[in-house]
Amino acid sequence: MIIASTARDLAVATEQSRRQGQRIALVPTMGALHRGHTSLFDIAKKEDAFVVASIFVNPRQFGDASDFNAYPITLEADLDLCRHHGVDVVYSPTASTMYPTGYATTVHVEGLTDIYEGQSRPGHFDGVTTVVTKLFNACRPDRAVFGQKDFQQTAVIRRLIIDLDLPIELIVAPTARAEDGLALSSRNIRLDTQARELATNLWRSLSLAQKQFQAGERNVEIIRGTIERICTQPGIILDYVAIVDRQTLESKTHCDDQTAILIAATIGGVRLIDNVLLNSQ
Ligand code: AMP
């Protein structure tokens, strides 16, 4: 496994495998890797692609300095996981390599980035789209694998790929969950026992909404009520429950098979997000 620390080293490694006719798959991460990330590596590895994982805690996507400073860093364990899951190159630059003195460019996707996560975390998506564009340019992947866990992010990246005519196939991987349903996240280790327990309500409410939909309920307010009833309790600061179209993220007036429900809450001082794609099967 090659460890690249500059965009140039990454470009050299991927160029070599491209010349040998391999397809290149990129999995961007911020490290502190868990089963959610490794499931993305496994999907990326399919059809024998040359897999690049980036590990970079991107300062530009954190509005909140305390969240950035508290973000876990476990590089050695991350590298072991990458090796075990067939990653060919890990790209792990420093912040000053990614954004050297004088750096002045931001990539901004309009509209989709103003709502939900974008509204609660101003500037977050500009940080994401800027770093992802830089990663795309250095790596020139044929495919990029992102997790459904960050559903709005996948919609923003899809827009970015279309608008900038990037020849990249976006693959969205299902959310890996703990046994009790909590979506795996690098931030979960910051939950204390009580907060960890409370956090299970997010997925519990979303799966109940899914069951209600499968039982024939189409009314947005009834489904929202189900979620809010479960998640309105001491210790859970609910930020939003958004019932939206999967592609445009516009609010739905009634639920159908194109509906996604997005939820965000702060529990025990940790901001958590999750979502479900409604399907009638
Ligand atoms: P992060 O390191 O949190 O920035 O995540 C890197 C990538 O892993 C993103 O595409 C996330 O959506 C994805 N990811 C994070 N958690 C999960 C999970 N529980 N299941 C699947 N993908 C995930």
Side-chain angles (χ1 to χ4, degrees):
M1 189 174 79
I2 299 168
I3 299 174
S5 51
T6 65
R8 191 173 159 66
D9 290 346
L10 173 60
V12 168
T14 51
E15 189 50 38
Q16 258 168 15
S17 65
R18 191 174 297 112
R19 276 214 215 98
Q20 290 161 4
Q22 266 188 297
R23 307 251 299 164
I24 295 165
L26 171 68
V27 184
T29 84
M30 297 207 297
L33 301 181
H34 50 65
R35 188 160 45 78
H37 298 110
T38 59
S39 70
L40 269 50
F41 300 154
D42 297 343
I43 289 170
K45 196 74 201 169
K46 281 199 182 131
E47 294 164 36
D48 275 343
F50 184 82
V51 176
V52 177
S54 62
I55 297 181
F56 179 61
V57 186
N58 178 26
R60 289 187 171 235
Q61 69 188 72
F62 288 82
D64 181 350
S66 63
D67 189 29
F68 176 67
N69 292 328
Y71 205 83
I73 294 181
T74 58
L75 188 60
E76 286 311 312
D78 291 352
L79 295 176
D80 281 345
L81 278 174
C82 288
R83 275 187 204 98
H84 278 107
H85 286 267
V87 171
D88 297 288
V89 179
V90 171
Y91 178 42
S92 173
T94 62
S96 58
T97 304
M98 188 64 92
Y99 306 115
T101 307
Y103 184 90
T105 302
T106 297
V107 178
H108 176 69
V109 171
E110 286 174 13
L112 283 176
T113 59
D114 296 337
I115 48 179
Y116 310 126
E117 285 307 284
Q119 191 169 11
S120 298
R121 306 175 66 190
H124 167 68
F125 284 119
D126 281 358
V128 171
T129 47
T130 299
V131 81
V132 167
T133 303
K134 293 194 70 164
L135 294 172
F136 283 169
N137 278 336
C139 178
R140 296 177 49 215
D142 300 287
R143 295 185 184 139
V145 187
F146 287 82
Q148 187 198 312
K149 155 89 171 21
D150 297 274
F151 187 78
Q152 188 175 0
Q153 174 170 275
T154 64
V156 171
I157 300 294
R158 183 174 298 112
R159 196 68 257 165
L160 175 83
I161 287 175
I162 294 170
D163 290 355
L164 298 186
D165 306 314
L166 301 174
I168 299 171
E169 181 190 355
L170 173 67
I171 297 174
V172 179
T175 301
R177 299 183 178 280
E179 260 180 29
D180 58 11
L182 179 67
L184 299 183
S185 162
S186 307
R187 290 188 175 85
N188 290 356
I189 54 166
R190 285 164 45 200
L191 295 166
D192 63 23
T193 315
Q194 194 189 358
R196 175 67 185 75
E197 180 71 24
L198 275 174
T200 59
N201 286 298
L202 300 186
W203 178 242
R204 196 162 73 80
S205 70
L206 292 176
S207 19
L208 212 62
Q210 173 79 280
K211 284 204 186 87
Q212 236 178 345
F213 178 72
Q214 287 174 345
E217 185 57 68
R218 296 293 180 265
N219 186 304
V220 165
E221 291 318 317
I222 291 178
I223 290 193
R224 181 192 305 284
T226 299
I227 297 169
E228 288 183 349
R229 250 191 318 283
I230 294 175
C231 293
T232 305
Q233 52 173 300
I236 302 181
I237 305 167
L238 197 54
D239 183 355
Y240 58 78
V241 175
I243 302 183
V244 299
D245 178 85
R246 290 183 195 187
Q247 302 294 328
T248 63
L249 300 192
E250 280 166 11
S251 293
K252 298 288 285 188
T253 51
H254 70 283
C255 293
D256 59 24
D257 274 313
Q258 286 308 307
T259 303
I261 307 181
L262 318 181
I263 191 168
T266 300
I267 302 178
V270 182
R271 187 182 161 77
L272 300 172
I273 58 173
D274 203 348
N275 63 80
V276 68
L277 305 183
L278 294 184
N279 65 70
S280 39
Q281 312 298 326

